[in-house]
Amino acid sequence: MTTLTVEDRATTADPADAGSAEGPVTDASLIYFSSVSDNTHRFVEKLGVRAARMPLLTKEPTLRAAQPYVLVLPTYGGITGQGAVPRQVVKFLNNQQNRSLLRGVIGAGNTNFGETYCLAADIVAAKCNVPVLYRFEVMGTSEDVDRVTRGLEEFWT
Amino acid sequence: MSEKLKLVSQVQAINWNRIQDDKDVDVWNRLVNNFWLPEKVPLSNDVQSWATLTPEEQQLTMRVFAGLTLLDTVQATVGAVSLIPDAITPHEEAVLTNIAFMESVHAKSYSSIFSTLASTKEIDEAFRWSTENVNLQRKASIVTDYYRGDDPLKRKVASTLLESFLFYSGFYLPMYWSSRAKLTNTADLIRLIIRDEAVHGYYIGYKFQRGLESATPERRQEIKDYTFELLFELYENEVQYTHDLYDSVGLAEDVKKFLHYNANKALMNLGYEAMFPSSVTDVSPAILSALSPNADENHDFFSGSGSSYVIGKAVNTEDEDWDF
């Protein structure tokens, strides 16, 4: 980065850009972000596996993964796909160890968003060279829960 | 209008620098970023394609859009506005005015499609049909009755079911034409409407859930029972409406699957479990991919046929790269 304007500095001060390593350590094999809508949270709860939720606010210290895990995340933003990955997830993945332990991504979304349906999952998967394991809508149906439960079991064996 | 208009009891200057619910800001920004007008879509490129449809197919298309116009008009002038006095935060009120305006844009955009493709006589005939079709009028009046009622949570349920369920018997047809490479610009416009309705349904459903948080268990049960009763009432009517429209072209069965698929999403927007099993929500893949190219399950590692999945080339990642 070269010269900073005042606005740039304000942006850089955003904790999402700092790969903070001070957050709680988790050995869960499923790590997820869910906004206050709790849609993704409800889906993960139904899976019945031990999972760790990222803090709601970007300014809070993020999680640190201790073992290989699968990431579940919703997509933000609109037409262009800019800002598709929630800032909290960006902050989490800025941590090199968190990135290196990532094995796969599951996306939450709504097909109504057309080309940007589950775009955040695609972006993270491409950047980290891991597969998109599954996509589900809103908070997932019982069939989604069954498929992901079975899929994860096979994936880890 | 003879009835007394219900208004917010007290108004204070809205301060966007003091936010009670971040969702209000998120959704406001999203709606503003998604703003569009029908004039941006080159509808006239569909004139040739329109001429390849049979007279029956043209009539069906006109009626579908006239029906959608009615729903968008209800949502713009009654629905979203009726939710304003129930708002929990001043910013929610502002978001609802944005939603109301956008519904008017949607309603107007069908008129843009009509004037591009059809004659005045055909347009008038479609609007006359919309006032005479019993099932269409019934669905508008069922929802409007709840908007006029005195229960804020029930109003939000009715509104979410309208945004996330009742539009889809209509949305099916432009997706169907698009999958056959017909009326593709019209389909582009409808996709913009579909995207907006998803944000509206998500937001009103979210506010419904916030409102439910402070309710007693009895009240929660009452609202849940009411939601499913209303859904069934609307569903039965929707099935008849679907037959009215689509029997002549033999598409009614696939449209019904699309209804089930979207009813599930409407319930989930309200925080309830999906109700229809996948055996009756398996909409034709061509329709799903007209909606979203990513909806094709074969892109997924778990559900695809394993071999079709190819892991992308490694991207060398530095911390600076995580600048989305």
Side-chain angles (χ1 to χ4, degrees):
Chain A
M1 212 173 274
T2 51
T3 330
L4 294 179
T5 67
V6 175
E7 276 122 51
D8 283 335
R9 258 190 227 105
T11 316
T12 316
D14 187 320
D17 293 324
S20 162
E22 288 161 30
V25 176
T26 177
D27 61 355
S29 62
L30 201 72
I31 296 179
Y32 68 101
F33 174 72
S34 182
S35 84
V36 288
S37 78
D38 272 350
N39 281 332
T40 304
H41 174 68
R42 289 204 183 97
F43 176 77
V44 170
E45 268 187 330
K46 288 186 281 186
L47 294 176
V49 297
R50 212 158 52 78
R53 181 176 185 166
M54 285 177 210
L56 272 176
L57 301 175
T58 320
K59 65 181 178 206
E60 293 171 52
T62 193
L63 299 173
R64 282 181 294 155
Q67 64 165 38
Y69 67 94
V70 165
L71 174 70
V72 190
L73 82 167
T75 295
Y76 278 19
I79 326 161
T80 57
Q82 233 191 349
V85 181
R87 300 293 291 166
Q88 294 85 341
V89 177
V90 172
K91 177 174 178 174
F92 171 79
L93 289 173
N94 267 330
N95 179 307
Q96 205 280 327
Q97 180 169 331
N98 286 346
R99 259 190 337 262
S100 68
L101 289 168
L102 176 64
R103 294 294 178 269
V105 184
I106 294 173
N110 188 330
T111 56
N112 282 41
F113 294 113
E115 289 180 355
T116 63
Y117 170 53
C118 292
L119 179 66
D122 293 332
I123 291 173
V124 170
K127 270 195 187 283
C128 297
N129 194 31
V130 296
V132 175
L133 301 173
Y134 197 77
R135 292 172 175 83
F136 66 90
E137 294 193 76
V138 196
M139 57 187 223
T141 64
S142 56
E143 278 100 354
D144 292 322
V145 172
D146 290 346
R147 279 189 218 134
V148 171
T149 305
R150 250 181 294 127
L152 284 175
E153 271 169 25
E154 283 171 30
F155 187 69
W156 291 122
T157 50
Chain B
M1 245 185 265
S2 57
E3 51 198 319
K4 206 172 161 200
L5 183 66
K6 195 178 167 223
L7 289 173
V8 177
S9 50
Q10 200 192 359
V11 180
Q12 290 181 342
I14 183 167
N15 181 358
W16 282 94
N17 292 310
R18 200 164 279 281
I19 300 297
Q20 291 103 307
D21 185 345
D22 287 334
K23 233 6 140 197
D24 295 333
V25 183
D26 287 349
V27 171
W28 173 274
N29 289 338
R30 187 160 188 162
L31 291 171
V32 170
N33 287 334
N34 285 355
F35 177 75
W36 59 278
L37 287 170
E39 288 75 15
K40 298 273 182 198
V41 183
L43 293 169
S44 58
N45 291 344
D46 282 347
V47 170
Q48 277 191 317
S49 177
W50 176 251
T52 68
L53 302 186
T54 66
E56 292 75 29
E57 290 169 341
Q58 289 184 350
Q59 187 187 57
L60 167 64
T61 308
M62 297 289 288
R63 289 178 174 181
V64 160
F65 289 157
L68 288 169
T69 304
L70 175 61
L71 293 188
D72 272 312
T73 312
V74 166
Q75 195 65 349
T77 59
V78 185
V81 178
S82 81
L83 301 177
I84 293 178
D86 307 329
I88 301 165
T89 68
H91 314 96
E92 180 182 347
E93 295 166 7
V95 171
L96 289 166
T97 60
N98 181 314
I99 290 177
F101 172 66
M102 216 50 218
E103 298 293 357
S104 280
V105 171
H106 298 171
K108 185 168 184 288
S109 59
Y110 297 111
S111 286
S112 299
I113 297 172
F114 287 148
S115 61
T116 307
L117 301 177
S119 68
T120 309
K121 188 168 159 285
E122 289 165 319
I123 297 170
D124 289 343
E125 194 280 326
F127 277 101
R128 191 170 57 245
W129 178 86
S130 78
T131 62
E132 286 168 0
N133 181 276
V134 176
N135 295 315
L136 176 61
Q137 286 299 320
R138 223 166 82 81
K139 84 164 143 177
S141 75
I142 292 170
V143 175
T144 310
D145 281 351
Y146 282 104
Y147 283 145
R148 297 218 160 94
D150 54 8
D151 189 321
L153 287 176
K154 290 183 179 175
R155 247 196 300 278
K156 288 195 181 66
V157 170
S159 195
T160 304
L161 292 182
L162 193 152
E163 299 272 14
S164 304
F165 173 55
L166 293 181
F167 280 114
Y168 292 82
S169 52
F171 288 155
Y172 182 92
L173 190 65
M175 294 303 105
Y176 174 79
W177 291 136
S178 168
S179 74
R180 318 193 115 211
K182 295 194 179 214
L183 304 184
T184 53
N185 297 283
T186 300
D188 284 342
L189 183 150
I190 301 297
R191 281 190 202 93
L192 294 172
I193 298 179
I194 289 175
R195 187 190 62 195
D196 290 344
E197 304 304 4
V199 181
H200 299 174
Y202 168 83
Y203 181 71
I204 298 166
Y206 163 75
K207 289 292 180 181
F208 165 77
Q209 294 177 61
R210 294 316 294 254
L212 209 56
E213 276 170 5
S214 54
T216 63
E218 293 76 25
R219 169 78 168 147
R220 284 176 191 229
Q221 191 58 46
E222 180 207 338
I223 294 294
K224 187 175 182 180
D225 293 344
Y226 154 80
T227 301
F228 282 85
E229 273 168 36
L230 178 58
L231 179 66
F232 282 125
E233 185 184 6
L234 290 169
Y235 171 73
E236 277 182 22
N237 186 66
E238 207 56 16
V239 166
Q240 290 179 36
Y241 181 61
T242 296
H243 284 294
D244 288 349
L245 283 170
Y246 292 98
D247 273 353
S248 62
V249 291
L251 288 172
E253 292 313 307
D254 202 44
V255 178
K256 281 195 261 177
K257 288 179 175 178
F258 197 54
L259 295 184
H260 303 150
Y261 168 70
N262 285 290
N264 277 351
K265 293 208 282 188
L267 285 171
M268 290 194 284
N269 272 336
L270 290 164
Y272 296 121
E273 291 294 325
M275 186 180 75
F276 291 98
S278 58
S279 54
V280 295
T281 61
D282 54 337
V283 187
S284 135
I287 299 298
L288 278 186
S289 59
L291 195 60
S292 162
N294 262 347
D296 177 2
E297 289 188 344
N298 288 324
H299 293 306
D300 295 348
F301 190 82
F302 287 166
S303 48
S305 57
S307 59
S308 70
Y309 188 86
V310 184
I311 291 185
K313 199 169 165 284
V315 179
N316 194 11
T317 306
E318 301 294 333
D319 282 2
E320 291 76 29
D321 292 343
W322 292 95
D323 182 21
F324 294 104

